[in-house]
């Protein structure tokens, strides 16, 4: 029992040491990302963002994916922002594009990826995320304007 406890303690200590090393490597990049996102938030008027996203067309879908890039929002934090966009007139396609592409293309997220995996993987990650958001938004536009009730036959 004593040997198992010592072995478990060593594994736990190694895990903590590795996690601390990972956090230490990522910290400067995350700080730069948060600072950049804060500056952009101050410099870009919110009403301009909503005005560009209100039309249900491919341009608003692409803009939504690109507008979300600098925001340091995780998959949970992006939901209230998307709801706010929707309430302020953003189209369904733009909101969907924003929801999909923003959590994985934030400056903080991309800098963390760069710090751990390098530039080629970071570029591929950003392109894949933006592409997925744009494709989903475009599919939303081109599949019609049916609501969930209409599609399920309940309305």
């Amino acid at each position: 029992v004593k040997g198992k406890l010592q072995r478990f303690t060593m594994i736990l200590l190694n895990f903590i040491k590795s996690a601390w090393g990972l956090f230490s490597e990522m910290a400067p990049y995350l700080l730069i990302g948060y600072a950049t996102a804060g500056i952009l938030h101050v410099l870009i008027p919110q009403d301009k963002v909503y005005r560009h996203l209100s039309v249900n067309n491919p341009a608003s879908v692409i803009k939504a994916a690109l507008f979300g890039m600098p925001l340091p929002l995780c998959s949970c934090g992006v939901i209230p922002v998307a709801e706010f966009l929707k309430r302020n007139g953003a189209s369904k396609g733009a909101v969907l594009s924003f929801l999909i592409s923003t959590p994985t293309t934030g400056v903080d997220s991309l800098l963390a990826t760069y710090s751990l995996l390098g530039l080629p993987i970071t570029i591929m990650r950003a392109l894949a995320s933006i592409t997925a958001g744009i494709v989903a938004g475009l599919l939303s536009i081109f599949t019609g304007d049916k609501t969930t009730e209409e599609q399920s036959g309940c309305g």
Side-chain angles (χ1 to χ4, degrees), residues 58 61-66 93 96-98 100-101 127-141:
V61 168
I62 293 168
K63 288 177 187 177
L66 296 176
L96 187 59
S97 178
F98 182 84
I100 292 172
S101 62
L127 291 175
S129 298
I130 290 171
T131 301
I134 291 171
V135 168
L138 292 174
L139 285 173
S140 171
I141 290 173

Side-chain angles (χ1 to χ4, degrees), residues 1 17 20 31 48 63 73-74 85 90 94 112 115 125 139:
V1 174
K17 183 179 175 183
W20 183 255
L31 288 174
K48 262 190 178 175
K63 288 177 187 177
L73 296 173
C74 65
L85 287 171
S115 72
R125 177 182 178 187
L139 285 173

Side-chain angles (χ1 to χ4, degrees), residues 25-126:
E25 285 183 38
M26 289 177 56
Y29 296 96
L30 290 173
L31 288 174
I32 292 168
Y34 287 127
T36 303
I39 291 167
L40 289 171
H41 178 72
V42 170
L43 294 178
I44 299 174
Q46 297 295 333
D47 60 330
K48 262 190 178 175
V49 174
Y50 304 125
R51 188 173 61 237
H52 287 283
L53 301 181
S54 63
V55 182
N56 199 24
N57 64 13
S60 68
V61 168
I62 293 168
K63 288 177 187 177
L66 296 176
F67 283 153
M69 267 189 89
L71 301 177
L73 296 173
C74 65
S75 56
C76 296
V78 75
I79 294 171
V81 177
E83 177 64 26
F84 187 71
L85 287 171
K86 185 66 180 163
R87 285 186 183 178
N88 285 279
S91 68
K92 289 179 184 180
V95 171
L96 187 59
S97 178
F98 182 84
L99 272 170
I100 292 172
S101 62
T102 299
T104 54
T105 59
V107 173
D108 58 325
S109 178
L110 292 177
L111 287 172
T113 302
Y114 174 73
S115 72
L116 298 173
L117 301 173
L119 187 60
I121 299 296
T122 303
I123 292 170
M124 287 190 305
R125 177 182 178 187

